């Protein structure tokens, strides 16, 4: 039987920003970059979270509502229960890649960056866009990993002022990439995919959707253009977003 | 239908087409309600995969959020679900399916809390180009609906069916629960109310799954309806009992995964089979696979028409 719930203990917790925490569990989970787990809090709810690192299993969670508030109240040594991994994953080998994350959308791309950089002769360039400095996460993590990083904020409180897409445009004028991966708000991803197409660069997007059965693929809640985001996705070819 | 096999090049393929009143089915497989079915695109996908008909997710009068997650949990032999009729409601639902092209017939599923709601829904849903209306009186896990609202008794079944019958000329399918004792009486009541077919049936139970590490039921609603292989023997017995008591066609739903399951259901008395959870195990290609297996079995047993097998397990 697949879809079994796994219960682990929280080994450590790191505060990324005022509203974002990273939870490291005392277990590992064989999985691929782009995949996610469904985290269950008994009698509350169950929601998907992208895998940041599989060994030990690491999840970065922004507090955005009552459920994530509940998760944020957990302490070291508390139990966390999940099922997975689920979903499609990013395709990569070796080469020069560009990763573009909007807001907390950058989080699932960290796993991908760490895997690409294990390949020979590979580089990862990361563009992170956020509303404001307070929402900017993972910049230092990517730097430490050995990525070239660029940051922009909508209000100019950190890095370049403006949208991530504009930064990508500037980059593409100077440099080419084997592929572009993006995750974040839909308008940003659409802009990135269209830019990629203009420069004849393949792209992959990681879609967000509301999940119910999450990964099992029976309820139909996450249907998008005839695909199930929870099962056929969350990673799709960028062409999905071309109108 | 392109399930032609090399060896049968010169032979006529066995006939799988059948009908439920005016609902013509090119093959007897029907997508069960609530599996995918919230939007037109996912139903189209199932239609293209070879289903004989598709059923939309049940519509309620008003939008419903449904139960919190988890709404579905895997157990031995299938799944427990307590979705709680999450759907966008009648108005949005009608908008969603209005453009259905009917290359594959669409069945409109409705659930109401009372007679008035059923009547209203039966009337409004005909704005969609559906080929039949399915009224569901059998949900085991949603307060206000189905079994939890007493809709599973013979009296309630007959009354609701009668009211819906008055609102439409389309075939009316009544979906019943395998959990009910003396199911023949309820099926009879549906027939007396003017139903054109019985769908046997909904999920079984309710049942429960507890996570022992967290000492908690997994489903948010704690209990849920059981679907999948584990319920098939009970569904088959219920179809067998219903076939003895009514004349109208029966759709057998519950744990149908293979063509052999489908043939078993037909022998118990079914005209068609509903497929839900099976999609998890065999993908949407399950509809083609079931047909292939049925054809192979029929060829090897010299059966040229599926309709001749109906009720075959009953004494003559
Ligand atoms: C996730 C899920 C949602 C369902 N939702 C509905 C529904 O809205 N209306 C309904 O009549 N039956 C619903 N059902 C019941 C199925 O239509 C079917 O009767 C039942 O699952 C047994 O068939 P199966 O074993 O092939 O899945 C649902 C079942 C599942 C698993
Ligand atoms: S969330 Fe149920 S099918 Fe995707």
């Amino acid at each position: 039987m697949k879809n079994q719930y796994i219960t682990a203990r929280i080994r450590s917790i790191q505060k990324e920003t005022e509203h974002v925490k990273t939870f490291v569990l005392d277990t590992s989970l064989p999985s691929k970059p782009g995949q996610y787990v469904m985290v269950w809090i008994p009698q509350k709810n169950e929601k998907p979270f992208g895998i940041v690192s599989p060994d030990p299993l690491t999840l970065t969670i922004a507090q955005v509502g009552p459920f994530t508030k509940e998760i944020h109240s957990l302490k070291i040594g508390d139990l966390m229960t999940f099922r997975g991994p689920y979903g499609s994953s990013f395709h990569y080998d070796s080469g020069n890649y560009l990763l573009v994350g909007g807001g907390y959308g950058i989080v699932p791309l960290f796993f991908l960056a760490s895997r690409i950089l294990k390949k020979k002769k590979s580089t990862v360039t990361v563009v992170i866009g956020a509303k404001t400095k307070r929402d900017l996460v993972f910049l230092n993590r990517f730097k430490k990993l050995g990525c070239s990083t660029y940051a922009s904020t909508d209000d100019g409180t950190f890095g370049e002022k403006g949208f991530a897409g504009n930064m990508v445009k500037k980059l593409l004028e100077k440099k080419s990439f084997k592929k572009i991966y993006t995750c974040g708000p839909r308008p940003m991803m659409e802009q990135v995919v269209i830019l990629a197409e203009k420069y004849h660069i393949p792209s992959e997007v990681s879609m967000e959707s509301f999940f119910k059965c999450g990964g099992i693929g029976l309820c139909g809640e996450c249907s998008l253009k005839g695909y199930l985001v929870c099962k056929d996705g969350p990673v799709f070819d960028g062409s999905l977003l071309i109108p | 239908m392109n399930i032609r096999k090399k060896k049968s090049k010169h032979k006529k393929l066995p006939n799988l087409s059948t009908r439920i009143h005016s609902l013509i089915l090119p093959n007897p497989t029907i997508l069960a309600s609530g599996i995918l079915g919230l939007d037109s695109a996912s139903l189209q996908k199932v239609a293209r995969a070879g289903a004989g008909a598709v059923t939309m997710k049940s519509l309620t009068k008003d939008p419903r959020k449904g139960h919190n997650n988890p709404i579905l949990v895997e157990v031995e032999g299938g799944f427990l679900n307590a979705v709680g009729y999450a759907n966008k409601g009648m108005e949005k639902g009608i908008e969603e399916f209005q453009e259905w092209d009917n290359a594959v017939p669409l069945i409109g599923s409705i659930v109401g809390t009372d007679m008035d709601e059923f009547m209203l829904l039966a009337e409004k849903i005909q704005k969609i180009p559906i080929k039949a209306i399915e009224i569901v009186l059998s949900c085991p896990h949603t307060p206000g609906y189905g079994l939890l609202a007493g809709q599973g008794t013979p009296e309630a079944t007959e009354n609701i069916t009668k009211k819906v019958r008055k609102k439409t000329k389309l075939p009316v399918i009544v979906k019943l629960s395998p959990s009910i004792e003396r199911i023949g009486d309820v099926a009879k009541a549906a027939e007396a109310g003017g139903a054109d077919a019985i769908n046997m049936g909904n999920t079984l139970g309710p049942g429960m799954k507890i996570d022992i590490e967290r000492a908690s039921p997994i489903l948010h609603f704690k209990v849920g309806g059981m679907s999948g292989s584990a319920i098939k023997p009970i569904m088959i017995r219920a179809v067998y009992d219903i076939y003895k008591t009514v004349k109208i066609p029966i759709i057998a739903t519950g744990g149908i995964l293979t063509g052999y399951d489908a043939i078993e259901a037909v022998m118990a008395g079914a005209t068609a089979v509903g497929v839900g959870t099976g999609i998890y195990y065999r993908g949407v290609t399950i509809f083609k696979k079931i047909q292939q297996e049925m054809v192979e079995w029929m060829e090897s047993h010299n059966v040229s028409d599926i309709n001749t097998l109906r009720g075959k397990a009953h004494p003559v």
Side-chain angles (χ1 to χ4, degrees):
Chain A
M1 227 165 33
K2 289 184 200 161
N3 306 304
Q4 297 279 19
Y5 284 84
I6 301 166
T7 294
R9 273 184 202 284
I10 298 170
R11 188 194 278 166
S12 69
I13 302 174
Q14 285 132 39
K15 203 163 173 167
E16 305 286 341
T17 70
E18 202 185 325
H19 297 291
V20 181
K21 282 181 181 174
T22 294
F23 297 84
V24 182
L25 305 187
D26 68 351
T27 188
S28 66
L29 184 70
S31 51
K32 295 179 192 150
Q35 291 191 303
Y36 67 95
V37 291
M38 294 293 290
V39 174
W40 172 50
I41 300 187
Q43 277 115 52
K44 303 285 184 204
N45 217 328
E46 179 183 64
K47 285 178 190 281
F49 296 96
I51 296 165
V52 173
S53 185
D55 188 15
L57 180 60
T58 304
L59 304 172
T60 295
I61 296 172
Q63 188 182 317
V64 292
F67 181 73
T68 45
K69 189 175 175 188
E70 197 76 42
I71 295 182
H72 271 227
S73 72
L74 295 174
K75 305 270 178 301
I76 290 173
D78 283 349
L79 300 178
M80 196 181 268
T81 304
F82 62 90
R83 59 185 172 92
Y86 290 110
S88 60
S89 57
F90 296 108
H91 300 90
Y92 62 94
D93 40 58
S94 55
N96 301 323
Y97 293 101
L98 176 62
L99 278 51
V100 186
Y104 309 134
I106 194 64
V107 167
L109 295 175
F110 185 78
F111 187 2
L112 174 66
S114 66
R115 282 298 149 95
I116 292 174
L117 289 176
K118 279 191 182 150
K119 303 260 178 190
K120 281 190 191 122
K121 290 191 189 147
S122 296
T123 66
V124 173
T125 304
V126 180
V127 172
I128 309 179
K131 276 207 182 75
T132 174
K133 188 181 173 190
R134 265 176 302 146
D135 298 326
L136 202 67
V137 292
F138 270 42
L139 191 61
N140 288 329
R141 282 183 188 263
F142 279 104
K143 267 187 195 156
K144 264 193 226 154
L145 203 61
C147 307
S148 321
T149 57
Y150 298 83
S152 72
T153 49
D154 299 357
D155 63 0
T157 45
F158 190 90
E160 192 126 331
K161 184 173 160 55
F163 296 129
N166 300 338
M167 196 144 226
V168 172
K169 204 169 171 179
K170 278 190 206 161
L171 264 175
L172 291 180
E173 280 162 10
K174 294 183 294 194
K175 207 170 176 262
S176 188
F177 297 94
K178 191 166 180 183
K179 198 184 253 183
I180 304 177
Y181 306 89
T182 180
C183 181
R186 185 132 170 201
M188 182 208 80
M189 290 199 288
E190 276 171 13
Q191 196 189 353
V192 171
V193 166
I194 289 168
L195 277 170
E197 196 175 54
K198 191 176 152 200
Y199 286 91
H200 306 290
I201 303 171
S203 63
E204 286 183 356
V205 298
S206 175
M207 300 300 295
E208 231 189 74
S209 164
F210 193 67
F211 288 172
K212 282 188 175 289
C213 73
I216 296 167
L218 283 175
C219 78
E221 178 74 22
C222 64
S223 173
L224 173 73
K225 300 185 179 180
Y227 295 102
L228 297 176
V229 175
C230 80
K231 200 169 182 201
D232 304 323
V235 177
F236 292 96
D237 191 88
S239 57
L240 183 83
L241 292 186
I242 304 250
Chain B
M1 214 170 34
N2 53 351
I3 44 173
R4 238 156 251 283
K5 283 180 58 199
K6 266 189 205 124
K7 67 169 186 195
S8 56
K9 215 187 230 166
H10 304 292
K11 241 176 82 187
K12 232 180 129 217
L13 275 179
N15 172 53
L16 288 184
S17 71
T18 188
R19 66 189 300 165
I20 289 165
H21 199 254
S22 62
L23 172 65
I24 313 279
L25 300 170
N27 74 73
T29 63
I30 302 176
L31 173 71
S33 178
I35 285 69
L36 308 174
L38 279 164
D39 67 329
S40 195
S42 65
L43 284 184
Q44 280 293 354
K45 195 163 136 188
V46 176
R48 281 197 300 273
V54 293
T55 315
M56 65 176 69
K57 167 82 186 170
S58 301
L59 288 179
T60 52
K61 182 168 156 276
D62 298 311
R64 281 180 57 89
K65 204 178 140 280
H67 299 310
N68 269 12
N69 285 349
I71 51 103
L72 188 63
V73 60
E74 188 175 6
V75 294
E76 297 77 2
F79 286 85
L80 291 172
N81 93 79
V83 177
Y85 283 137
N87 79 103
K88 287 183 260 175
M90 182 174 78
E91 296 297 335
K92 284 266 166 58
I94 290 170
E95 237 168 73
E96 177 67 41
F97 299 109
Q98 214 148 32
E99 309 280 299
W100 188 259
D101 62 8
N102 264 310
V104 169
L106 175 62
I107 300 170
S109 172
I110 55 173
V111 289
T113 53
D114 58 26
M115 220 96 85
D116 288 344
E117 274 192 23
F118 270 109
M119 276 158 55
L120 177 75
L121 284 157
E123 190 183 313
K124 296 268 175 156
I125 201 167
Q126 293 177 70
K127 289 186 186 165
I128 307 172
I130 50 172
K131 296 288 186 204
I133 296 181
E134 181 164 276
I135 56 177
V136 186
L137 308 178
S138 42
C139 181
H141 56 73
T142 308
Y145 296 86
L147 298 190
L148 300 189
Q151 294 170 354
T153 65
E155 301 73 41
T157 300
E158 183 168 348
N159 289 337
I160 295 170
T161 309
K162 251 187 198 150
K163 297 278 185 189
V164 170
R165 174 76 284 160
K166 283 201 186 111
K167 290 279 172 193
T168 183
K169 292 200 167 64
L170 291 171
V172 173
I173 304 163
V174 181
K175 188 169 181 184
L176 301 178
S177 165
S179 310
I180 283 176
E181 282 177 52
R182 299 176 37 155
I183 189 66
D185 293 351
V186 186
K188 236 189 182 132
E191 188 179 45
D196 297 295
I198 303 289
N199 186 341
M200 171 46 65
N202 216 310
T203 49
L204 182 73
M208 182 184 279
K209 163 85 182 164
I210 291 169
D211 185 279
I212 60 173
E213 299 306 320
R214 304 307 298 263
S216 168
I218 291 178
L219 290 174
H220 188 78
F221 192 62
K222 298 186 175 63
V223 300
M226 178 81 197
S227 66
S229 295
I231 72 168
K232 197 191 74 179
I234 291 163
M235 178 279 285
I236 294 284
R237 188 268 306 147
V239 168
Y240 190 93
D241 285 351
I242 293 170
Y243 186 76
K244 283 190 296 192
T245 55
V246 301
K247 298 221 154 47
I248 52 178
I250 305 163
I251 302 166
T253 310
I256 300 286
L257 263 60
T258 67
Y260 317 108
D261 297 336
I263 286 176
E264 184 182 356
V266 169
M267 287 184 173
T271 295
V273 294
V275 176
T277 307
I279 292 178
Y280 171 76
Y281 300 98
R282 304 185 85 187
V284 286
T285 52
I286 188 170
F287 295 94
K288 281 258 165 67
K289 288 175 183 157
I290 287 177
Q291 291 163 56
Q292 257 154 20
E293 288 155 356
M294 289 178 86
V295 162
E296 273 163 32
W297 191 93
M298 287 164 70
E299 280 180 334
S300 66
H301 292 74
N302 285 318
V303 178
S304 59
D305 184 354
I306 187 69
N307 296 291
T308 61
L309 287 180
R310 191 175 313 128
K312 204 134 192 247
H314 292 259
V316 270

